[in-house]
Amino acid sequence: MKVVLANLLALLFMGTCACVFYVLTRLESRLERHRLGFRAPGGASAHPGRLDLPPKTFRALLAVPVAQKLLFGTVVDVHNLSGQGERFDTFRDSKASRLSVNNRDDPLKLSDLVEDGIFWSEQLEARSPKGFTEEHTRNWRARTRGHPIVSLEPGCGRISNRLATFSDGTKACVRYGINADQVQGETLTYYLAALLCIPNLPPLALSQLNLESEQWAAVKGSMASLQWTGKAIVSLTQWVANLTGVVTPAPLRQEGRGLHPLREELENQTLEELLELVQWSDLILLDYLTANFDRLVSNLFSLQWDSRVMERDTSNLHRTPRGDLVFIDNEAGLVHGYRVLDMWEKYHSALLGSVCVFRRRTAQRVIELHRLRDARTRLLRLYRDNEPLAPELGFLSDEHAGILQNRIDRLYKHILHCKGKYSQL
C-alpha cells in the first residue's frame, strides 16, 4: 500500500512539474514575441518598423529644420539596374542558408575570404544571399500598379504609414511622409542602391493619392480618417514577412576595431557571420553616401546616454529566415540627411573609417562614378526610366547632387587608402 501511494505521489509531482514547465515556456515565448513586436503565428503579421528605444533618442531630431584599373583587372557591365526585388520566400537559392559555421577542423583561410587585399572573395560572394532580384521587382511593380487597394491597416512603423492589401493579395507599406523630402529620400536611396548593385532594399514604387482613382477608391474612408492630403505622392515598398532584428556585429561596435581584412579578425568568424559582414559592408557604404542617420549612426549618437544601445537590434534593419539583410525606412537619406549633415558628419566619417573590406562590385561602381563624375546623370536616368511619377516627386537639387558626388569622391579615396594599407598583406 505504501509503495502504491508513493508511486501516485511521484506521478502527481512529475505532472505538476510538467505543467509548470509548459506554462513558463509559453510565457517566455509570448514575452519574446512582444519584445520584438511580432504577432503570434497564424495572425496577421506586421512589417516591423522602428523598434522602441529610450525616450532620449535621436528621433526627436528628425524634425530639426534646415540646420578602375588601379584596383580591378576587369570591369563588370551592370548598367541600368532597376533594383533587385524578391520576397524572402522566393529568394534565389543560396548555399549560405544551408551552412551554419566554419568547419573547425578545416577552417577557412584568409585567402579564402579576401582577394586583392580588400575585397570579399568570390567564394564568399558565391555563398552570399542574393537579395531582391530584378525580375521579381518588375513583377511586384506590375501588381501594385495594376490592382486596387482594398484595405489600409496599421503595421508599417510610423502612425501615418499603413499596410496596404491589394485585390490580388499583394501587400505593401504605404509611406506617407511628414513632408515630401522623406518620400523623395526613400525613393532616391532605393535607386542609388540599385545603381550601386546593392540588392538589400525591398522593391519600391510611387503612387499618387486620388480618391477618384481605381487604385484608391475602395479605401476613401481610411484615407479621410488618416487626414492624408489628396494628390500627395506616397511610396509603396514591398511588405516582407517573418523578419527578425539584427544586432550590430562586434567588429562594428564602438569597442570594436572595425572591419578590416586581417587574419585574426576574419578567420575566427563563422560562415554565417562572414556572410552577414559582407552585407554590412554594403550597408555602411550606402548610409555614408546618403548621409542616412536613422540606422547605425543613430546608435553611435545614442551611446552618450545609453552605453548598451549597440547590443540591441539596429533600427531599420532586419533579417529574413535565409540570412538576407533588409534595409528599410531609408527616408532620412539624401535629402533630409544632407540638410542636417553638419550635425551627423562625425558619426558618418567614423563608421566609414571603420570599414576596409568591400564587395568588389560595389567598389567598382563607386570608382566608376568617381571617374566619370556623372552620379547625378545616372541616378536621374535610372529613376525616370523606372518611375512614371518621377517628374511629380522631383529630384535632387543641384546642391544635393553636388554633395552626393563629393561623398562618392571621398569614398573612392577611402577605398584607395584601404588598398594601399592592406594590398601587401
Side-chain angles (χ1 to χ4, degrees):
M1 185 67 180
K2 290 182 179 180
V3 173
V4 174
L5 183 60
N7 287 338
L8 288 173
L9 290 173
L11 288 172
L12 180 62
F13 177 78
M14 291 175 64
T16 302
C17 290
C19 291
V20 171
F21 178 78
Y22 174 79
V23 171
L24 290 176
T25 301
R26 296 294 293 173
L27 179 60
E28 181 182 14
S29 175
R30 285 173 176 268
L31 288 173
E32 181 66 10
R33 284 199 301 271
H34 175 74
R35 185 184 70 82
L36 293 174
F38 299 143
R39 297 185 183 179
S45 301
H47 184 288
R50 292 180 175 80
L51 302 180
D52 292 334
L53 288 175
K56 280 188 176 181
T57 171
F58 72 98
R59 284 183 182 79
L61 298 174
L62 276 171
V64 172
V66 173
Q68 54 220 189
K69 280 192 178 181
L70 179 62
L71 295 174
F72 308 104
T74 58
V75 177
V76 178
D77 183 12
V78 284
H79 293 288
N80 201 30
L81 292 181
S82 62
Q84 296 76 14
E86 188 75 13
R87 282 202 306 217
F88 80 92
D89 54 347
T90 49
F91 281 167
R92 295 175 183 171
D93 185 34
S94 170
K95 294 179 182 178
S97 65
R98 298 190 294 274
L99 297 171
S100 57
V101 296
N102 289 337
N103 184 338
R104 296 301 183 183
D105 297 327
D106 184 21
L108 293 173
K109 300 176 183 178
L110 185 62
S111 58
D112 297 325
L113 308 177
V114 178
E115 296 172 349
D116 298 333
I118 60 169
F119 302 115
W120 297 112
S121 69
E122 283 189 24
Q123 196 176 153
L124 271 181
E125 288 279 6
R127 292 176 172 178
S128 293
K130 304 305 178 185
F132 296 93
T133 65
E134 186 177 3
E135 179 183 1
H136 181 76
T137 294
R138 289 194 299 267
N139 294 335
W140 182 87
R141 284 181 181 153
R143 293 197 301 271
T144 57
R145 289 169 177 165
H147 292 88
I149 296 171
V150 295
S151 71
L152 293 173
E153 304 169 278
C156 288
R158 188 189 303 115
I159 193 170
S160 62
N161 298 337
R162 278 299 183 266
L163 175 61
T165 302
F166 292 77
S167 59
D168 69 337
T170 299
K171 292 181 181 292
C173 281
V174 183
R175 304 196 182 281
Y176 180 92
I178 296 174
N179 53 55
D181 289 355
Q182 292 179 315
V183 176
Q184 197 177 72
E186 175 90 25
T187 303
L188 295 180
T189 296
Y190 172 80
Y191 283 106
L192 180 62
L195 192 62
L196 295 169
C197 306
I198 297 175
N200 299 81
L201 282 68
L204 178 145
L206 296 178
S207 180
Q208 188 166 32
L209 300 182
N210 184 349
L211 296 177
E212 306 307 319
S213 71
E214 182 180 353
Q215 183 167 51
W216 295 98
V219 290
K220 286 182 180 180
S222 297
M223 291 170 62
S225 64
L226 290 166
Q227 298 183 329
W228 283 357
T229 303
K231 304 300 181 181
I233 304 292
V234 297
S235 66
L236 308 175
T237 56
Q238 183 178 339
W239 182 85
V240 186
N242 295 345
L243 295 177
T244 55
V246 181
V247 176
T248 306
L252 296 174
R253 296 180 195 172
Q254 188 187 37
E255 68 274 13
R257 291 186 297 175
L259 184 54
H260 305 289
L262 299 174
R263 184 182 308 276
E264 60 271 21
E265 294 185 12
L266 297 181
E267 288 186 344
N268 290 326
Q269 302 284 336
T270 68
L271 183 59
E272 283 184 344
E273 291 167 342
L274 287 166
L275 296 177
E276 188 166 300
L277 288 174
V278 171
Q279 298 174 81
W280 271 94
S281 64
D282 269 355
L283 174 63
I284 289 176
L285 265 58
L286 180 64
D287 279 358
Y288 175 78
L289 291 178
T290 62
N292 186 350
F293 55 86
D294 199 9
R295 198 154 19 228
L296 195 55
V297 161
S298 67
N299 283 358
L300 291 180
F301 177 79
S302 298
L303 279 169
Q304 57 191 306
W305 54 70
D306 184 0
S307 62
R308 303 192 66 181
V309 66
M310 303 291 277
E311 300 172 23
R312 292 192 285 275
D313 290 345
T314 304
S315 180
N316 299 328
L317 180 66
H318 298 282
R319 183 192 294 108
T320 71
R322 294 193 180 187
D324 299 77
L325 297 187
V326 182
F327 311 165
I328 68 167
D329 289 2
N330 299 290
E331 55 198 18
L334 288 173
V335 185
H336 191 60
Y338 285 176
R339 285 190 174 143
V340 295
L341 188 56
D342 289 345
M343 182 184 305
W344 301 100
E345 183 60 4
K346 67 177 182 179
Y347 302 104
H348 292 302
S349 296
L351 275 175
L352 179 62
S354 72
V355 175
C356 254
V357 57
F358 315 98
R359 267 189 160 158
R360 188 183 294 268
R361 67 185 186 190
T362 308
Q364 283 177 324
R365 264 306 167 92
V366 169
I367 292 165
E368 186 179 351
L369 291 170
H370 162 77
R371 179 174 60 85
L372 298 175
R373 301 193 62 76
D374 63 349
R376 181 188 188 280
T377 302
R378 290 199 191 193
L379 181 59
L380 179 58
R381 183 188 305 126
L382 183 63
Y383 173 43
R384 287 182 172 173
D385 286 350
N386 290 279
E387 182 46 67
L389 288 172
E392 283 76 10
L393 182 61
F395 189 62
L396 297 175
S397 66
D398 290 343
E399 178 188 2
H400 288 169
I403 293 174
L404 173 60
Q405 186 65 57
N406 179 261
R407 294 180 84 76
I408 288 171
D409 296 342
R410 290 171 63 184
L411 179 51
Y412 166 77
K413 292 177 182 178
H414 177 66
I415 294 172
L416 281 185
H417 165 75
C418 293
K419 180 70 172 177
K421 184 174 182 179
Y422 294 109
S423 61
Q424 303 304 317
L425 294 182

